[in-house]
Amino acid sequence: MKLQKIASLVLAIILVLSLGITAFSAGTGSITINGASAENTYEIYKLLDLESYNTASGAYSYKVNSAWTGFFATSEALSYVAIDDAGYVTWKASEDDDTVAAFAKKALAYAKANGIAPLKSTENSGDSELTGTTLKFSNLELGYYLIDSTMGALCGLTTTNPDASINAKNQKPTVDKQVEEDSTSQWGDANSADIGQIVKFRTTISVHAGAENFVLHDIMSEGLTFKQVSKIEHVKPGISTDVVDIADYSVGAGTCELVEEGGVKKPCTFEVVFTQEFCDNLETNDKIIVYYEAMVNKNAIISGDGNTNGAVLEFGEEHFTTVDETTTKTYGFDIVKTDSQNTLIDGAEFKIYDDETGGNEVKVVLMDDGKTYRRAREDESGVSIVVKDGKVRVVGFDNGTYYLEETVAPEGYNKLTARQKFIISDGNLDSIFNDGIFSTGSGVHVVNKTGSMLPETGGIGTTLFYVVGGILVAGSIVFLVTKKRMGNR
């Protein structure tokens, strides 16, 4: 067991032997833990010796075990117990789980710092016996015992017969990961966003007694880029909500290998490490809410399974909660350019706007493949979308209503006089082709029409005018000459 990582703190008062029961005159007893787990390590420490007791009257006399004299001389210990001039110890603090857990953590910290070894441990052969989920320590001297587990919850505080039995609560802290949908400002398990957009996340940690060694690990897919932890709140439900001081935690690059891709484990994206002093002030039902931000980047998955962000809490001695994930989706669409006969045509150029008239340009950039466009980040300059081979792919868009403006029409075709509206709603606008023929109604379909050919100088139109004009002139001359001759006669 790694002594520096202690998560589950258990106090059990073992008050054994009734004065009237001679069968236990040797002063030994046992501790049985119900609900124990073979995955956890359990250790016991004897803090106090039981000098005498009377079960009928409920009177018990404790004195400090010699190994713990130094601890019970500290102000921390004396804030929980009172010791009279004769050396007898009585408990004076509250007996709720949080108070007992706080006392146990101080005692354990003292044991580690001062080399006090546990009396018995499940790591030592013969010290205990595990049957199913029942763990038993036997042949214990009578006294007040501290039981330490790597699990992370207080088992119980009990005054009982020589054979004490306690129930291990084994309650784990939990995490709840959520993402904000910016269009509604609502928190949930999924959202949609643009490439380049900053997305807000929050992870809520629900605390149980005995909080120790809290490290929050966050796991982002390649389509998300971590930006910052914006704030952390400590919530006491119905009482208070306070912003956690930055001195109580640190944010760093991920070191815990939690993500497995292709059989290779990779470190998590980042982690938040809470100080033990902060953990010591946590109580059952408290909540820690961590707010942070990430940007949807150019590697984002377009629609499909989306871009995941998971969170998991490490506590105690390398124990972990279940990973909780959110999904951020971004979408793409195809612009398909045809004539009125549904034949694909090239050469058109477009820009995208957020309004039918005026509004703001939604900028795009050309990706490395040289044919796909994606939504630009705020720090990038936009380019026109050029249609080649009759269609073009544009990706990285949030749900919403958009407008295409044709800035350049294909040669010989009339340019659109108004912007064309299209709507993205929880899915891609993919074009469909059947046997190479475009299926109208799919993608974002833009139709251009050609105009009629007008007469040109030197063309057949003007030649016709000249011929007809010449005929008319010649006819006029013939008419005038004939009329003059008739007049002379």
Side-chain angles (χ1 to χ4, degrees):
M1 173 180 178
K2 297 178 183 177
L3 297 179
Q4 73 272 20
K5 291 188 175 181
I6 307 297
S8 173
L9 304 170
V10 183
L11 270 183
I13 300 177
I14 311 299
L15 301 176
V16 294
L17 288 180
S18 171
L19 290 176
I21 302 178
T22 59
F24 297 99
S25 59
T28 60
S30 67
I31 301 174
T32 298
I33 303 175
N34 299 314
S37 170
E39 297 178 355
N40 303 317
T41 298
Y42 299 85
E43 295 179 333
I44 60 174
Y45 298 81
K46 185 184 181 185
L47 304 183
L48 304 175
D49 299 326
L50 180 62
E51 184 176 272
S52 64
Y53 56 90
N54 187 316
T55 54
S57 63
Y60 301 89
S61 297
Y62 297 98
K63 285 194 172 181
V64 176
N65 182 277
S66 60
W68 290 84
T69 302
F71 172 70
F72 283 99
T74 65
S75 59
E76 287 186 332
L78 293 175
S79 64
Y80 296 90
V81 300
I83 304 176
D84 65 17
D85 293 339
Y88 291 107
V89 181
T90 56
W91 183 266
K92 68 179 183 180
S94 170
E95 294 186 4
D96 64 272
D97 284 357
D98 292 315
T99 302
V100 174
F103 171 76
K105 281 189 283 189
K106 295 180 187 301
L108 284 168
Y110 183 88
K112 309 316 173 192
N114 293 274
I116 301 177
L119 186 66
K120 291 192 176 185
S121 171
T122 55
E123 290 193 335
N124 300 329
S125 178
D127 278 4
S128 61
E129 180 181 358
L130 179 64
T131 304
T133 59
T134 301
L135 177 66
K136 187 173 184 179
F137 291 97
S138 301
N139 300 317
L140 301 176
E141 295 180 353
L142 308 182
Y144 181 85
Y145 283 85
L146 171 66
I147 305 175
D148 172 33
S149 163
T150 57
M151 188 54 210
L154 190 69
C155 285
L157 177 64
T158 178
T159 301
T160 184
N161 293 320
D163 296 311
S165 179
I166 60 177
N167 295 320
K169 296 176 182 177
N170 289 332
Q171 289 179 304
K172 294 182 180 181
T174 60
V175 295
D176 179 26
K177 180 67 176 289
Q178 294 182 315
V179 62
E180 183 185 47
E181 172 51 55
D182 63 316
S183 64
T184 62
S185 299
Q186 297 298 308
W187 294 90
D189 294 331
N191 75 316
S192 61
D194 301 303
I195 284 180
Q197 182 177 331
I198 300 299
V199 179
K200 296 179 180 180
F201 298 91
R202 71 180 183 189
T203 296
T204 301
I205 304 169
S206 296
V207 179
H208 293 288
E212 189 138 331
N213 296 333
F214 274 14
V215 181
L216 178 67
H217 300 278
D218 194 84
I219 312 156
M220 293 185 180
S221 62
E222 292 185 0
L224 296 170
T225 301
F226 171 65
K227 302 300 287 186
Q228 66 173 349
V229 172
S230 51
K231 69 174 178 177
I232 300 178
E233 293 178 338
H234 177 196
V235 180
K236 292 184 177 294
I239 300 175
S240 64
T241 298
D242 299 307
V243 176
V244 178
D245 193 285
I246 58 173
D248 290 327
Y249 65 90
S250 60
V251 180
T255 59
C256 187
E257 294 184 340
L258 297 172
V259 183
E260 185 168 344
E261 295 180 3
V264 178
K265 288 188 175 181
K266 296 182 178 181
C268 59
T269 306
F270 74 95
E271 59 191 25
V272 181
V273 181
F274 295 92
T275 66
Q276 189 53 47
E277 183 179 0
F278 173 74
C279 291
D280 288 342
N281 291 322
L282 297 173
E283 298 181 350
T284 302
N285 298 323
D286 281 7
K287 296 184 184 300
I288 306 168
I289 306 178
V290 183
Y291 295 88
Y292 46 102
E293 299 172 351
M295 183 184 73
V296 183
N297 63 44
K298 64 181 182 179
N299 299 316
I301 294 174
I302 306 302
S303 190
D305 294 332
N307 305 276
T308 60
N309 185 358
V312 58
L313 180 71
E314 180 183 3
F315 61 97
E317 187 179 341
E318 298 182 351
H319 283 274
F320 297 88
T321 63
T322 301
V323 177
D324 193 28
E325 285 188 341
T326 60
T327 301
T328 297
K329 290 191 175 184
T330 189
Y331 303 104
F333 57 94
D334 293 331
I335 301 174
V336 181
K337 189 72 170 173
T338 74
D339 62 14
S340 57
Q341 304 302 313
N342 209 34
T343 301
L344 297 177
I345 53 177
D346 294 341
E349 295 185 18
F350 294 94
K351 288 189 176 182
I352 304 173
Y353 289 85
D354 61 6
D355 203 343
E356 186 174 5
T357 58
N360 302 301
E361 180 186 351
V362 181
K363 296 181 180 180
V364 298
V365 295
L366 185 63
M367 296 182 69
D368 294 339
D369 64 4
K371 59 182 181 180
T372 305
Y373 293 83
R374 65 163 173 83
R375 181 150 184 169
R377 301 189 306 268
E378 289 185 357
D379 60 341
E380 293 178 317
S381 300
V383 299
S384 293
I385 301 170
V386 180
V387 178
K388 296 179 180 179
D389 299 323
K391 73 170 187 175
V392 64
R393 183 71 168 169
V394 187
V395 300
F397 278 64
D398 196 352
N399 286 332
T401 301
Y402 303 93
Y403 298 85
L404 273 181
E405 180 177 295
E406 188 173 41
T407 57
V408 176
E411 292 184 359
Y413 290 86
N414 298 333
K415 187 169 67 174
L416 300 184
T417 58
R419 295 175 182 174
Q420 182 166 326
K421 174 181 175 181
F422 66 98
I423 299 173
I424 297 176
S425 179
D426 295 330
N428 292 336
L429 298 176
D430 299 321
S431 58
I432 299 174
F433 287 79
N434 296 313
D435 296 328
I437 300 175
F438 171 64
S439 177
T440 57
S442 65
V444 180
H445 185 197
V446 182
V447 180
N448 276 110
K449 296 180 180 180
T450 182
S452 299
M453 181 176 289
L454 298 178
E456 298 180 9
T457 301
I460 189 170
T462 55
T463 300
L464 181 62
F465 288 142
Y466 294 150
V467 172
V468 173
I471 293 171
L472 292 174
V473 171
S476 298
I477 293 173
V478 171
F479 175 76
L480 291 174
V481 171
T482 302
K483 185 177 182 181
K484 185 175 181 181
R485 288 179 177 177
M486 290 178 65
N488 290 335
R489 287 177 183 176

